[in-house]
């Protein structure tokens, strides 16, 4: 348990904060965690002693390799649940599985997401339904399942991976922007409901991170705009970020670790923009 230094204590360097990242004995359920941001979050938690339930798409043998390597390298318990984020019953079962297999659920990270880039008048209805289900509704179903467990424990941390597109909009991303704005509204509502139960609910809003999802967006944007992939990166993707640099997964993990620690206990219902200054404009 972290203890604030007293007057006169030596607080030079990071010695006073050495226990901030200790997650031993805690269990995290992370949707969309077989690659990209979600896998980085899983690795960050496991490296600090936390047990993890992975979820996501991919080749089963590769997923098992990732699971077993993470378990062996960090000395923690790592499980995998193949919940389809479009099915609320499976999402809820993923959370229940975490408690059944690992004994509790302390951290829920709602990270699963998909994207489709198209003008509104051409936007396929099935893609709209898919994006709303995976990016927004799965967050509801997982959170609804986790809160009773966290209330019984007297503590919990919910971190929703929203997006800079939860704060501002871009053309050709109507479903994604709508879903991510919804995630932020949902985050605020949950935070108010559980504020006196030892539970916090916050959102992280990344700018562009170089993940497989963003790589596919680059190709989609090139097609939609009729320009090269290189011009998409220069004039569309990183044009929004004053730093002209992709956000790194390590930077997002750092924010997540703050939010799940005792130092983050008063951060509740907040949206943290990690976007190189994009939404400051």
């Amino acid at each position: 348990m972290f203890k604030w230094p007293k007057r006169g204590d030596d607080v030079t360097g990071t010695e006073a904060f050495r226990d901030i990242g200790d997650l031993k004995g805690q269990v995290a359920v992370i949707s969309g965690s077989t690659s990209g941001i979600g896998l980085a979050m899983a690795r960050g938690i496991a490296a600090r002693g936390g047990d993890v339930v992975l979820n996501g798409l991919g080749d089963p043998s590769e997923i098992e390799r990732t699971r077993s390597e993470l378990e062996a390298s960090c000395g923690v318990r790592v499980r995998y649940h193949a919940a389809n984020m479009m099915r609320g019953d499976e999402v809820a079962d993923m959370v229940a599985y975490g408690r059944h297999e690992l004994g509790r659920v302390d951290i829920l990270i709602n990270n699963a997401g998909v994207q489709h880039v198209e003008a509104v008048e051409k936007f396929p209805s099935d893609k709209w339904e898919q994006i709303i289900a995976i990016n927004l509704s799965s967050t509801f179903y997982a959170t609804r399942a986790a809160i009773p467990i966290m209330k019984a424990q007297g503590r919990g941390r919910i971190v929703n991976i929203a997006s800079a597109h939860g704060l501002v909009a871009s053309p050709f991303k109507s479903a994604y922007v709508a879903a991510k704005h919804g995630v932020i509204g949902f985050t605020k509502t949950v935070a108010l409901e559980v504020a006196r139960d030892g539970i916090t609910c916050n959102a992280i809003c990344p700018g562009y991170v170089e993940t497989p999802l963003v790589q596919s967006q680059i190709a989609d944007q090139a097609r939609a705009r009729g320009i090269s992939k290189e011009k998409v990166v220069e004039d569309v993707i990183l044009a929004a970020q004053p730093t002209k640099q992709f956000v790194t997964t390590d930077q997002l993990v750092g924010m997540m670790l703050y939010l799940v620690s005792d130092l983050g206990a008063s951060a509740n219902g907040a949206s943290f923009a990690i976007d190189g200054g994009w939404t400051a404009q």
Side-chain angles (χ1 to χ4, degrees):
M1 181 70 70
F2 173 76
K3 298 183 186 302
W4 283 103
K6 299 186 293 295
R7 184 184 296 276
D9 286 352
D10 180 9
V11 295
T12 57
T14 58
E15 183 64 17
F17 297 88
R18 64 187 180 277
D19 296 327
I20 292 173
D22 183 9
L23 297 175
K24 188 174 181 179
Q26 296 194 40
V27 174
V29 176
I30 310 171
S31 68
S33 51
T34 52
S35 66
I37 293 170
L39 181 55
M41 298 277 179
R43 286 175 171 153
I45 288 170
R48 287 153 182 83
D51 299 323
V52 177
V53 175
L54 298 173
N55 158 265
L57 302 175
D59 177 75
S61 61
E62 183 60 33
I63 292 172
E64 173 54 26
R65 187 178 303 113
T66 298
R67 187 205 65 77
S68 60
E69 287 178 354
L70 191 57
E71 191 171 68
S73 63
C74 297
V76 299
R77 298 175 295 173
V78 181
R79 302 290 187 267
Y80 172 74
H81 192 285
N84 180 341
M85 292 294 108
M86 292 187 68
R87 294 186 57 87
D89 56 341
E90 293 188 20
V91 175
D93 187 65
M94 174 185 69
V95 176
Y97 173 83
R99 185 178 184 279
H100 179 265
E101 285 288 307
L102 302 176
R104 53 192 297 119
V105 174
D106 302 275
I107 300 165
L108 171 65
I109 301 179
N110 291 304
N111 169 73
V114 293
Q115 174 65 286
H116 182 78
V117 179
E118 192 67 83
V120 171
E121 68 270 23
K122 298 178 181 178
F123 209 95
S125 58
D126 62 329
K127 289 294 184 181
W128 174 275
E129 299 296 339
Q130 179 194 44
I131 290 169
I132 296 300
I134 295 174
N135 294 24
L136 177 58
S137 296
S138 71
T139 298
F140 160 72
Y141 287 113
T143 302
R144 185 176 70 168
I147 284 177
I149 299 170
M150 293 177 173
K151 283 185 175 180
Q153 295 169 175
R155 187 185 187 279
R157 295 288 186 266
I158 301 168
V159 179
N160 297 323
I161 307 304
S163 169
H165 278 124
L167 302 169
V168 296
S170 291
F172 309 117
K173 298 182 178 181
S174 56
Y176 188 84
V177 170
K180 293 302 187 179
H181 272 68
V183 167
I184 290 177
F186 180 73
T187 297
K188 293 178 180 180
T189 299
V190 171
L192 296 177
E193 292 183 11
V194 300
R196 301 188 67 178
D197 295 303
I199 304 169
T200 64
C201 184
N202 292 286
I204 297 176
C205 301
Y208 282 104
V209 187
E210 199 165 14
T211 63
L213 178 63
V214 168
Q215 287 298 329
S216 67
Q217 286 185 52
I218 292 170
D220 288 346
Q221 286 276 12
R223 175 181 52 79
R225 295 172 182 266
I227 58 178
S228 70
K229 292 181 181 179
E230 292 74 20
K231 292 294 286 182
V232 169
V233 172
E234 181 180 350
D235 296 342
V236 180
I237 303 295
L238 294 185
Q241 295 183 189
T243 58
K244 302 304 179 187
Q245 296 178 351
F246 282 105
V247 177
T248 71
T249 54
D250 284 349
Q251 291 160 354
L252 301 178
V253 170
M255 175 56 71
M256 177 274 294
L257 291 173
Y258 162 72
L259 291 175
V260 303
S261 75
D262 287 342
L263 283 180
S266 288
N268 200 24
S271 299
F272 294 89
I274 313 296
D275 61 7
W278 176 357
T279 57
Q281 300 176 93

